[in-house]
DNA sequence: ATAAGAAAACTAATGACTTTTGATTTTATA
DNA sequence: TATAAAATCAAAAGTCATTAGTTTTCTTAT
Protein backbone atom coordinates (compact mmCIF):
# COMPACT_ATOMS: atom_id res chain seq x y z
CA UNK A 1 0.00 0.00 0.00
CA UNK A 2 1.46 3.26 -1.17
CA UNK A 3 1.88 6.05 1.33
CA UNK A 4 -0.67 8.84 1.07
CA UNK A 5 0.73 11.93 -0.52
CA UNK A 6 0.82 15.09 1.51
CA UNK A 7 -1.84 17.73 0.99
CA UNK A 8 -2.35 21.21 2.33
CA UNK A 9 -5.01 19.96 4.71
CA UNK A 10 -2.67 17.33 6.09
CA UNK A 11 -0.05 20.01 6.69
CA UNK A 12 -2.46 22.20 8.64
CA UNK A 13 -3.71 19.23 10.64
CA UNK A 14 -0.18 18.17 11.49
CA UNK A 15 0.56 21.72 12.61
CA UNK A 16 -2.61 21.68 14.70
CA UNK A 17 -1.62 18.50 16.49
CA UNK A 18 1.87 19.82 17.04
CA UNK A 19 0.92 23.15 18.61
CA UNK A 20 -1.62 21.46 20.84
CA UNK A 21 1.11 19.27 22.24
CA UNK A 22 4.10 21.61 22.31
CA UNK A 23 2.51 25.05 22.31
CA UNK A 24 2.04 27.63 19.62
CA UNK A 25 5.54 29.04 20.14
CA UNK A 26 6.97 25.67 19.06
CA UNK A 27 5.47 25.91 15.59
CA UNK A 28 8.41 25.53 13.23
CA UNK A 29 8.69 23.78 9.90
CA UNK A 30 11.02 21.00 11.00
CA UNK A 31 8.66 18.99 13.23
CA UNK A 32 5.77 19.37 10.81
CA UNK A 33 7.83 18.00 7.92
CA UNK A 34 9.12 15.16 10.09
CA UNK A 35 5.60 14.27 11.20
CA UNK A 36 4.51 14.06 7.56
CA UNK A 37 7.56 12.06 6.52
CA UNK A 38 8.86 14.68 4.11
CA UNK A 39 11.72 17.17 4.05
CA UNK A 40 11.26 20.80 5.01
CA UNK A 41 11.42 22.33 1.50
CA UNK A 42 8.61 20.04 0.35
CA UNK A 43 6.27 21.91 2.67
CA UNK A 44 6.53 24.87 0.33
CA UNK A 45 4.56 22.90 -2.24
CA UNK A 46 1.54 23.18 0.04
CA UNK A 47 2.02 26.29 2.13
CA UNK A 48 3.75 29.55 1.34
CA UNK A 49 6.15 29.57 4.27
CA UNK A 50 5.76 29.70 8.02
CA UNK A 51 3.65 32.85 8.16
CA UNK A 52 1.15 31.35 5.76
CA UNK A 53 0.99 28.19 7.86
CA UNK A 54 0.32 30.22 10.99
CA UNK A 55 -2.41 32.09 9.14
CA UNK A 56 -4.00 28.90 7.86
CA UNK A 57 -3.90 27.43 11.35
CA UNK A 58 -5.57 30.52 12.79
CA UNK A 59 -8.40 30.36 10.26
CA UNK A 60 -8.80 26.63 10.74
CA UNK A 61 -8.95 27.06 14.52
CA UNK A 62 -11.38 29.96 14.56
CA UNK A 63 -13.72 28.09 12.27
CA UNK A 64 -13.54 24.95 14.38
CA UNK A 65 -14.29 26.96 17.51
CA UNK A 66 -17.27 28.61 15.87
CA UNK A 67 -18.68 25.30 14.65
CA UNK A 68 -18.52 23.73 18.10
CA UNK A 69 -20.24 26.72 19.67
CA UNK A 70 -22.88 26.70 16.98
CA UNK A 71 -23.46 23.02 17.54
CA UNK A 72 -23.79 23.53 21.28
CA UNK A 73 -26.57 26.07 20.73
CA UNK A 74 -28.77 23.78 18.67
CA UNK A 75 -32.02 23.11 20.46
CA UNK A 76 -31.31 25.60 23.23
CA UNK A 77 -32.15 29.21 23.92
CA UNK A 78 -31.60 31.97 26.46
CA UNK A 79 -29.52 31.18 29.51
CA UNK A 80 -29.40 27.50 28.55
CA UNK A 81 -27.81 28.28 25.23
CA UNK A 82 -25.33 30.70 26.76
CA UNK A 83 -24.20 28.14 29.27
CA UNK A 84 -23.88 25.43 26.63
CA UNK A 85 -21.85 27.71 24.36
CA UNK A 86 -19.63 28.72 27.26
CA UNK A 87 -18.93 25.08 28.04
CA UNK A 88 -18.19 24.25 24.40
CA UNK A 89 -15.93 27.29 24.14
CA UNK A 90 -14.02 26.40 27.27
CA UNK A 91 -13.63 22.76 26.35
CA UNK A 92 -12.29 23.75 22.93
CA UNK A 93 -9.60 25.85 24.57
CA UNK A 94 -8.68 23.13 27.04
CA UNK A 95 -8.51 20.46 24.36
CA UNK A 96 -6.82 22.70 21.77
CA UNK A 97 -4.69 25.23 23.59
CA UNK A 98 -2.20 25.62 20.77
CA UNK A 99 -4.81 26.07 18.07
CA UNK A 100 -6.65 28.58 20.21
CA UNK A 101 -3.42 30.52 20.74
CA UNK A 102 -2.90 30.55 16.97
CA UNK A 103 -6.36 32.09 16.69
CA UNK A 104 -5.32 34.99 18.91
CA UNK A 105 -1.88 35.52 17.42
CA UNK A 106 -1.50 38.82 15.55
CA UNK A 107 -1.61 38.28 11.79
CA UNK A 108 1.16 39.61 9.57
CA UNK A 109 -1.24 39.71 6.62
CA UNK A 110 -5.00 40.27 6.40
CA UNK A 111 -6.70 36.95 7.14
CA UNK A 112 -10.22 36.86 5.70
CA UNK A 113 -10.95 33.32 6.85
CA UNK A 114 -10.05 34.22 10.43
CA UNK A 115 -12.06 37.43 10.31
CA UNK A 116 -15.07 35.61 8.90
CA UNK A 117 -14.99 32.88 11.54
CA UNK A 118 -14.71 35.41 14.34
CA UNK A 119 -17.59 37.37 12.89
CA UNK A 120 -19.70 34.22 12.70
CA UNK A 121 -19.07 33.51 16.36
CA UNK A 122 -20.03 37.05 17.33
CA UNK A 123 -23.22 36.84 15.27
CA UNK A 124 -24.11 33.57 16.91
CA UNK A 125 -23.76 35.07 20.36
CA UNK A 126 -25.69 38.17 19.40
CA UNK A 127 -28.48 36.01 18.12
CA UNK A 128 -28.65 34.13 21.39
CA UNK A 129 -28.81 37.45 23.22
CA UNK A 130 -31.85 38.75 21.30
CA UNK A 131 -34.45 37.57 23.83
CA UNK A 132 -32.55 39.37 26.58
CA UNK A 133 -33.61 42.63 24.93
CA UNK A 134 -30.42 44.54 25.62
CA UNK A 135 -29.59 47.99 24.31
CA UNK A 136 -26.74 48.30 21.81
CA UNK A 137 -24.07 49.27 24.29
CA UNK A 138 -25.29 46.80 26.90
CA UNK A 139 -25.10 44.04 24.35
CA UNK A 140 -21.47 44.88 23.74
CA UNK A 141 -20.69 44.93 27.46
CA UNK A 142 -22.40 41.58 28.00
CA UNK A 143 -20.60 40.05 25.05
CA UNK A 144 -17.24 41.30 26.23
CA UNK A 145 -17.92 39.93 29.68
CA UNK A 146 -18.91 36.57 28.31
CA UNK A 147 -15.75 36.25 26.23
CA UNK A 148 -13.60 37.55 29.07
CA UNK A 149 -14.85 34.96 31.54
CA UNK A 150 -14.61 32.02 29.16
CA UNK A 151 -11.26 33.03 27.70
CA UNK A 152 -9.83 34.02 31.07
CA UNK A 153 -10.98 30.96 32.94
CA UNK A 154 -9.91 28.50 30.28
CA UNK A 155 -6.50 30.00 29.64
CA UNK A 156 -5.74 30.26 33.35
CA UNK A 157 -6.99 26.71 33.86
CA UNK A 158 -4.90 25.44 30.99
CA UNK A 159 -1.78 27.20 32.21
CA UNK A 160 -2.14 25.55 35.59
CA UNK A 161 -2.68 28.86 37.38
CA UNK A 162 -5.54 27.38 39.39
CA UNK A 163 -3.59 25.31 41.83
CA UNK A 164 -6.16 24.19 44.36
CA UNK A 165 -7.76 20.75 44.14
CA UNK A 166 -11.26 22.18 43.84
CA UNK A 167 -13.33 21.00 40.90
CA UNK A 168 -12.85 23.19 37.83
CA UNK A 169 -16.21 22.28 36.33
CA UNK A 170 -18.05 23.40 39.44
CA UNK A 171 -16.10 26.64 39.52
CA UNK A 172 -16.84 27.40 35.90
CA UNK A 173 -20.50 26.51 36.18
CA UNK A 174 -20.87 28.65 39.29
CA UNK A 175 -19.14 31.68 37.80
CA UNK A 176 -20.92 31.45 34.48
CA UNK A 177 -24.32 30.97 36.06
CA UNK A 178 -23.79 33.95 38.32
CA UNK A 179 -22.84 36.09 35.34
CA UNK A 180 -25.69 34.97 33.12
CA UNK A 181 -28.15 35.52 35.95
CA UNK A 182 -26.91 39.08 36.23
CA UNK A 183 -28.09 39.72 32.66
CA UNK A 184 -31.69 40.88 32.46
CA UNK A 185 -34.10 37.99 32.21
CA UNK A 186 -35.14 36.90 28.75
CA UNK A 187 -38.85 36.68 27.97
CA UNK A 188 -39.90 33.09 27.72
CA UNK A 189 -40.30 31.49 24.31
CA UNK A 190 -43.60 32.22 22.59
CA UNK A 191 -45.85 29.21 22.63
CA UNK A 192 -47.34 28.25 19.29
CA UNK A 193 -49.95 25.89 20.71
CA UNK B 1 30.84 61.79 33.29
CA UNK B 2 31.51 58.08 33.23
CA UNK B 3 28.75 55.77 32.13
CA UNK B 4 26.97 53.87 34.90
CA UNK B 5 28.09 50.30 35.12
CA UNK B 6 25.53 47.60 34.45
CA UNK B 7 23.93 45.78 37.37
CA UNK B 8 21.55 42.87 37.64
CA UNK B 9 18.67 45.20 38.36
CA UNK B 10 19.41 47.23 35.24
CA UNK B 11 19.41 44.05 33.19
CA UNK B 12 16.01 42.99 34.48
CA UNK B 13 14.59 46.46 33.96
CA UNK B 14 15.92 46.59 30.41
CA UNK B 15 14.33 43.21 29.76
CA UNK B 16 11.08 44.49 31.24
CA UNK B 17 10.99 47.49 28.94
CA UNK B 18 11.84 45.33 25.98
CA UNK B 19 9.13 42.70 26.46
CA UNK B 20 6.54 45.40 27.08
CA UNK B 21 7.35 46.90 23.71
CA UNK B 22 8.06 43.85 21.58
CA UNK B 23 6.28 41.06 23.44
CA UNK B 24 7.55 38.33 25.69
CA UNK B 25 8.40 36.08 22.75
CA UNK B 26 10.96 38.66 21.61
CA UNK B 27 13.03 38.30 24.78
CA UNK B 28 16.53 37.43 23.57
CA UNK B 29 19.90 38.46 24.85
CA UNK B 30 20.92 40.58 21.87
CA UNK B 31 18.51 43.52 22.29
CA UNK B 32 19.02 43.61 26.05
CA UNK B 33 22.77 43.85 25.69
CA UNK B 34 22.43 46.50 22.99
CA UNK B 35 20.08 48.53 25.15
CA UNK B 36 22.62 48.45 27.97
CA UNK B 37 25.51 49.29 25.70
CA UNK B 38 27.40 46.06 26.35
CA UNK B 39 28.08 42.87 24.43
CA UNK B 40 26.05 39.72 24.90
CA UNK B 41 28.58 37.68 26.91
CA UNK B 42 28.82 40.50 29.46
CA UNK B 43 25.24 39.76 30.46
CA UNK B 44 26.45 36.52 31.99
CA UNK B 45 28.18 38.55 34.67
CA UNK B 46 24.74 39.52 35.99
CA UNK B 47 22.34 36.80 34.98
CA UNK B 48 22.88 33.09 34.50
CA UNK B 49 21.65 32.84 30.94
CA UNK B 50 18.34 33.45 29.24
CA UNK B 51 16.29 31.10 31.42
CA UNK B 52 17.48 32.87 34.54
CA UNK B 53 16.58 36.22 33.02
CA UNK B 54 13.09 34.99 32.21
CA UNK B 55 12.74 33.73 35.76
CA UNK B 56 13.95 37.00 37.25
CA UNK B 57 11.55 38.91 35.06
CA UNK B 58 8.65 36.70 36.15
CA UNK B 59 9.41 37.26 39.81
CA UNK B 60 9.89 40.98 39.30
CA UNK B 61 6.58 41.21 37.45
CA UNK B 62 4.52 39.19 39.88
CA UNK B 63 5.82 41.26 42.77
CA UNK B 64 5.06 44.52 40.96
CA UNK B 65 1.53 43.32 40.21
CA UNK B 66 0.97 42.36 43.83
CA UNK B 67 2.24 45.70 45.11
CA UNK B 68 -0.07 47.70 42.86
CA UNK B 69 -3.06 45.61 43.92
CA UNK B 70 -2.13 45.95 47.55
CA UNK B 71 -1.80 49.69 47.14
CA UNK B 72 -5.20 49.89 45.46
CA UNK B 73 -6.82 48.22 48.46
CA UNK B 74 -5.53 50.68 51.03
CA UNK B 75 -8.39 52.53 52.65
CA UNK B 76 -11.05 50.42 50.98
CA UNK B 77 -13.08 47.36 51.86
CA UNK B 78 -15.71 45.01 50.47
CA UNK B 79 -16.97 45.65 46.97
CA UNK B 80 -15.08 48.93 46.79
CA UNK B 81 -11.78 47.21 47.43
CA UNK B 82 -12.53 44.44 44.93
CA UNK B 83 -13.32 46.95 42.22
CA UNK B 84 -10.21 48.98 42.94
CA UNK B 85 -8.01 45.89 42.87
CA UNK B 86 -9.60 44.76 39.64
CA UNK B 87 -8.87 48.11 38.04
CA UNK B 88 -5.27 48.09 39.28
CA UNK B 89 -4.83 44.53 38.06
CA UNK B 90 -6.23 45.33 34.64
CA UNK B 91 -4.23 48.50 34.22
CA UNK B 92 -1.04 46.64 35.13
CA UNK B 93 -1.70 44.14 32.35
CA UNK B 94 -2.51 46.85 29.82
CA UNK B 95 0.56 48.89 30.71
CA UNK B 96 2.89 45.88 31.06
CA UNK B 97 1.67 43.15 28.72
CA UNK B 98 5.11 41.64 28.26
CA UNK B 99 5.93 41.52 31.94
CA UNK B 100 2.55 40.02 32.70
CA UNK B 101 3.13 37.35 30.06
CA UNK B 102 6.48 36.56 31.68
CA UNK B 103 4.59 36.06 34.94
CA UNK B 104 2.43 33.37 33.36
CA UNK B 105 5.18 31.65 31.39
CA UNK B 106 5.95 28.14 32.64
CA UNK B 107 9.15 28.08 34.67
CA UNK B 108 11.95 25.67 33.82
CA UNK B 109 13.20 25.82 37.40
CA UNK B 110 11.38 26.31 40.71
CA UNK B 111 10.91 30.07 41.17
CA UNK B 112 10.40 30.93 44.85
CA UNK B 113 10.12 34.67 44.24
CA UNK B 114 7.34 34.13 41.71
CA UNK B 115 5.53 31.66 43.95
CA UNK B 116 5.77 34.02 46.90
CA UNK B 117 4.41 37.00 44.98
CA UNK B 118 1.51 34.96 43.63
CA UNK B 119 0.74 33.71 47.11
CA UNK B 120 0.77 37.26 48.45
CA UNK B 121 -1.72 38.34 45.84
CA UNK B 122 -4.02 35.43 46.69
CA UNK B 123 -3.80 36.21 50.38
CA UNK B 124 -4.65 39.83 49.71
CA UNK B 125 -7.76 38.85 47.79
CA UNK B 126 -8.80 36.32 50.42
CA UNK B 127 -8.46 38.98 53.08
CA UNK B 128 -10.71 41.32 51.12
CA UNK B 129 -13.26 38.52 50.81
CA UNK B 130 -13.51 37.87 54.56
CA UNK B 131 -16.55 40.15 55.14
CA UNK B 132 -18.40 38.31 52.38
CA UNK B 133 -18.49 35.28 54.68
CA UNK B 134 -18.06 32.68 51.98
CA UNK B 135 -17.57 28.97 52.58
CA UNK B 136 -14.23 27.46 51.63
CA UNK B 137 -15.27 26.16 48.24
CA UNK B 138 -17.29 29.26 47.42
CA UNK B 139 -14.29 31.42 48.20
CA UNK B 140 -12.28 29.46 45.67
CA UNK B 141 -14.97 29.79 43.02
CA UNK B 142 -15.30 33.54 43.59
CA UNK B 143 -11.54 33.99 43.46
CA UNK B 144 -11.24 32.03 40.25
CA UNK B 145 -14.02 34.06 38.73
CA UNK B 146 -12.40 37.30 39.75
CA UNK B 147 -9.07 36.37 38.22
CA UNK B 148 -10.74 34.97 35.11
CA UNK B 149 -12.63 38.17 34.40
CA UNK B 150 -9.70 40.50 35.01
CA UNK B 151 -7.16 38.36 33.18
CA UNK B 152 -9.54 37.54 30.37
CA UNK B 153 -10.76 41.07 29.81
CA UNK B 154 -7.33 42.67 29.96
CA UNK B 155 -5.57 40.14 27.73
CA UNK B 156 -8.36 40.27 25.13
CA UNK B 157 -8.36 44.05 25.32
CA UNK B 158 -4.60 44.21 24.93
CA UNK B 159 -4.62 41.81 21.98
CA UNK B 160 -7.10 44.02 20.19
CA UNK B 161 -9.80 41.36 20.20
CA UNK B 162 -12.41 43.91 21.24
CA UNK B 163 -12.89 45.71 17.98
CA UNK B 164 -15.91 47.90 18.55
CA UNK B 165 -15.51 51.56 19.45
CA UNK B 166 -17.36 51.18 22.73
CA UNK B 167 -15.59 52.42 25.83
CA UNK B 168 -13.45 49.73 27.45
CA UNK B 169 -13.58 51.30 30.89
CA UNK B 170 -17.36 51.28 30.92
CA UNK B 171 -17.41 47.67 29.79
CA UNK B 172 -14.99 46.59 32.46
CA UNK B 173 -16.75 48.52 35.20
CA UNK B 174 -20.11 47.12 34.15
CA UNK B 175 -18.93 43.53 34.02
CA UNK B 176 -16.97 43.72 37.25
CA UNK B 177 -19.79 45.40 39.13
CA UNK B 178 -22.26 42.79 37.94
CA UNK B 179 -19.96 40.01 39.08
CA UNK B 180 -19.20 41.56 42.47
CA UNK B 181 -22.88 42.21 43.07
CA UNK B 182 -23.54 38.53 42.46
CA UNK B 183 -21.35 37.69 45.47
CA UNK B 184 -23.29 37.63 48.72
CA UNK B 185 -23.40 41.02 50.36
CA UNK B 186 -20.73 41.77 52.92
CA UNK B 187 -21.82 42.89 56.38
CA UNK B 188 -21.01 46.51 56.84
CA UNK B 189 -17.92 47.51 58.81
CA UNK B 190 -18.30 47.42 62.55
CA UNK B 191 -18.48 50.91 64.01
CA UNK B 192 -16.12 51.64 66.85
CA UNK B 193 -17.81 54.84 67.91
C1' DA C 1 -0.54 1.50 -23.06
C1' DT C 2 2.28 5.23 -23.44
C1' DA C 3 3.88 9.81 -23.72
C1' DA C 4 3.46 14.55 -21.85
C1' DG C 5 2.82 17.55 -18.37
C1' DA C 6 2.08 18.81 -13.73
C1' DA C 7 2.65 18.25 -9.01
C1' DA C 8 5.44 16.79 -5.26
C1' DA C 9 9.64 15.69 -3.15
C1' DC C 10 14.44 16.01 -2.95
C1' DT C 11 19.51 17.73 -2.44
C1' DA C 12 22.34 21.42 -1.58
C1' DA C 13 23.30 25.68 0.01
C1' DT C 14 22.79 30.34 2.02
C1' DG C 15 22.32 33.63 5.55
C1' DA C 16 20.59 35.14 9.69
C1' DC C 17 19.92 34.40 14.53
C1' DT C 18 20.43 31.84 18.76
C1' DT C 19 22.76 30.77 23.38
C1' DT C 20 26.75 29.65 25.61
C1' DT C 21 31.88 28.73 26.71
C1' DG C 22 36.72 30.04 27.63
C1' DA C 23 40.46 33.01 27.86
C1' DT C 24 41.93 37.77 28.02
C1' DT C 25 41.81 42.64 28.90
C1' DT C 26 39.97 46.57 31.02
C1' DT C 27 38.14 49.01 34.98
C1' DA C 28 36.91 50.08 39.50
C1' DT C 29 37.50 49.34 44.33
C1' DA C 30 39.52 48.24 48.72
C1' DT D 1 49.07 48.45 44.43
C1' DA D 2 46.50 44.13 44.67
C1' DT D 3 42.15 42.04 43.98
C1' DA D 4 37.77 41.33 42.26
C1' DA D 5 34.31 42.50 39.11
C1' DA D 6 32.94 43.65 34.56
C1' DA D 7 33.48 43.78 29.77
C1' DT D 8 35.59 41.97 25.81
C1' DC D 9 37.06 38.95 21.70
C1' DA D 10 36.75 34.67 19.49
C1' DA D 11 34.54 30.80 18.55
C1' DA D 12 31.60 26.83 18.82
C1' DA D 13 27.43 24.53 17.92
C1' DG D 14 22.81 24.82 16.90
C1' DT D 15 18.36 26.10 14.82
C1' DC D 16 15.82 28.58 11.75
C1' DA D 17 13.37 29.83 7.15
C1' DT D 18 13.97 30.14 2.52
C1' DT D 19 15.55 29.67 -2.51
C1' DA D 20 17.20 27.24 -6.71
C1' DG D 21 17.74 23.46 -9.40
C1' DT D 22 16.89 18.54 -10.07
C1' DT D 23 14.65 14.17 -9.77
C1' DT D 24 10.84 11.39 -8.85
C1' DT D 25 6.00 10.33 -9.08
C1' DC D 26 1.49 10.64 -10.28
C1' DT D 27 -2.22 11.86 -13.53
C1' DT D 28 -4.19 12.81 -17.81
C1' DA D 29 -4.86 12.70 -22.52
C1' DT D 30 -3.59 10.71 -26.72
Amino acid sequence: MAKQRVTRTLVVEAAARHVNTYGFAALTLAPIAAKLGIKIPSLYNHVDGLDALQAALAGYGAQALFLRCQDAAIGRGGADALLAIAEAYRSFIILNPGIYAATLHPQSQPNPELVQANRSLMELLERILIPFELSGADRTHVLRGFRSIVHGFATLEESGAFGLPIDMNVSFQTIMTAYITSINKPRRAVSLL
Side-chain angles (χ1 to χ4, degrees), chain A:
Chain A
M1 125 187 154
K3 238 191 284 186
Q4 156 128 7
R5 242 170 165 202
V6 169
T7 110
R8 180 185 163 91
T9 302
L10 285 177
V11 172
V12 175
E13 287 173 354
R17 279 194 302 277
H18 188 258
V19 296
N20 278 342
T21 305
Y22 300 101
F24 177 72
L27 178 56
T28 59
L29 297 183
I32 310 302
K35 219 176 277 245
L36 294 166
I38 62 178
K39 299 300 162 68
I40 296 176
S42 304
L43 287 174
Y44 285 79
N45 287 320
H46 309 285
V47 161
D48 192 19
L50 183 65
D51 277 7
L53 179 54
Q54 287 180 352
L57 191 59
Y60 168 86
Q63 192 149 23
L65 173 60
F66 160 64
L67 289 175
R68 310 239 182 143
C69 290
Q70 189 181 49
D71 186 74
I74 293 177
R76 296 179 214 264
D80 258 14
L82 282 182
L83 205 60
I85 293 176
E87 190 42 65
Y89 204 139
R90 168 183 169 233
S91 110
F92 181 86
I93 297 176
I94 296 299
L95 294 174
N96 307 282
I99 298 179
Y100 181 68
T103 287
L104 262 43
H105 195 254
Q107 301 293 303
S108 58
Q109 301 281 335
N111 191 336
E113 194 189 350
L114 174 63
V115 169
Q116 176 55 43
N118 282 334
R119 201 190 329 258
S120 297
L121 181 55
M122 283 304 112
E123 283 171 5
L124 170 67
L125 287 169
E126 283 183 352
R127 206 169 134 195
I128 302 295
L129 282 183
I130 289 176
F132 288 84
E133 289 184 327
L134 299 164
S135 79
D138 275 347
R139 198 165 50 238
T140 299
H141 300 324
V142 166
L143 231 60
R144 285 176 176 170
F146 183 86
R147 285 182 69 193
S148 295
I149 296 176
V150 178
H151 163 81
F153 189 96
T155 53
L156 286 175
E157 176 185 7
E158 200 273 327
S159 82
F162 295 148
L164 295 177
I166 306 261
D167 193 274
M168 298 293 174
N169 297 313
V170 176
S171 282
F172 188 68
Q173 191 114 358
T174 304
I175 296 162
M176 214 63 229
T177 304
Y179 182 71
I180 293 175
T181 305
S182 78
I183 308 173
N184 277 336
K185 296 136 199 142
R187 37 174 60 183
R188 73 176 57 204
V190 176
S191 170
L192 296 175
L193 295 180

